[in-house]
Amino acid sequence: MELDVTMPILATLRHLFMAPNSVGNGRKRGRVKKWAKRSTRCTKNECNKIAEQVEMCLATKQLAREYEIRRQESIEDGREFLKDFVRYYFREYVDHIRIISTLTFEEIKMIGNEQDQAYGVQQCRRLFNALVLSDQVGHLLWCELRKGRHDFRILLESKYGSESSFNSFD
C-alpha cells in the first residue's frame, strides 16, 4: 500500500489560496469576520515555505520509489545467484528446491561474514525450501559464501556450456 503524503499539503494549499467569500455552499454569506479573513490568506513568505515543503515531499517520494526499484533489482540478483548455486551443486534436485529469499544480493553475501557457523547455516537454510536437502544446501551455501565465491553463473557456463542448457529452474 502506497501512502500519499502530498494530499494533506495540497488540501492545505487549496484552503490557503481560497478567497474568504468563496467558502460555503454558493450562497452569499455577507460580512466575514476579520479573523476568518486573516486565516485564509497567507503571506508570500508563508506560501514560499509551503511550496518548498511540497517540493521536498515530492522529491522524497521520488527517492523512495527509486530506492524500492533498486532494492527489487538487487533482490532479483540475489535470487538469480541462489538459482545458479542450486543449479551448480544440486542439478538433479532443481525441481525439488524452491527459493523463498527476499534478501538482496549484498545481504546474502553478508551471511558469509557470520562467524558462528550454526547461525550462518541457519540463515542460509531460510533462503530455500528444500525438504530433505535443507541442511546440505544451507551448509554448502554458507561455506561458499564464507570463501567469497559468487560466480556460479560462470562456473555453470564452463561446466555445461551455453546458458540454455541449464535454464530449467522454476
Side-chain angles (χ1 to χ4, degrees):
M1 186 173 100
E2 189 174 319
L3 180 65
D4 191 1
V5 294
T6 59
M7 291 310 294
I9 295 172
L10 293 177
T12 304
L13 281 175
R14 200 171 330 151
H15 175 72
L16 289 174
F17 291 116
M18 287 178 13
N21 289 330
S22 67
V23 179
N25 58 6
R27 289 184 283 161
K28 192 167 184 169
R29 296 179 118 196
R31 188 178 167 128
V32 178
K33 296 180 183 177
K34 286 184 180 180
W35 63 267
K37 286 182 183 179
R38 272 184 266 135
S39 67
T40 57
R41 295 180 185 158
C42 68
T43 65
K44 186 175 183 179
N45 193 22
E46 290 171 340
C47 291
N48 288 339
K49 286 181 182 177
I50 292 170
E52 288 174 8
Q53 290 175 348
V54 169
E55 288 177 17
M56 285 176 36
C57 286
L58 294 175
T60 303
K61 192 174 180 181
Q62 180 65 25
L63 286 174
R65 275 192 217 123
E66 290 172 6
Y67 171 77
E68 189 59 33
I69 289 170
R70 276 188 253 115
R71 179 164 173 75
Q72 288 299 326
E73 289 173 355
S74 186
I75 288 172
E76 284 303 314
D77 290 344
R79 291 178 62 82
E80 283 300 315
F81 164 74
L82 294 173
K83 287 177 187 178
D84 292 340
F85 169 79
V86 169
R87 287 183 193 122
Y88 186 74
Y89 284 107
F90 301 96
R91 187 169 177 79
E92 60 276 3
Y93 299 108
V94 166
D95 296 333
H96 304 290
I97 298 173
R98 196 177 67 161
I99 296 171
I100 55 175
S101 171
T102 57
L103 298 179
T104 64
F105 183 58
E106 292 78 20
E107 292 169 340
I108 292 171
K109 288 193 296 187
M110 292 303 293
I111 294 173
N113 295 338
E114 182 60 45
Q115 295 299 321
D116 182 23
Q117 179 180 357
Y119 183 73
V121 170
Q122 179 186 19
Q123 294 300 314
C124 289
R125 286 178 57 199
R126 290 181 179 171
L127 303 176
F128 299 98
N129 188 1
L131 296 177
V132 178
L133 299 171
S134 64
D135 289 333
Q136 293 172 343
V137 173
H139 185 265
L140 187 59
L141 177 61
W142 182 77
C143 290
E144 292 298 324
L145 290 172
R146 189 93 176 126
K147 292 177 189 174
R149 290 188 59 187
H150 308 116
D151 53 354
F152 295 106
R153 175 66 53 124
I154 296 168
L155 294 173
L156 277 169
E157 289 175 356
S158 65
K159 187 174 183 179
Y160 296 108
S162 69
E163 186 177 340
S164 62
S165 66
F166 59 86
N167 208 9
S168 63
F169 206 93
D170 293 334

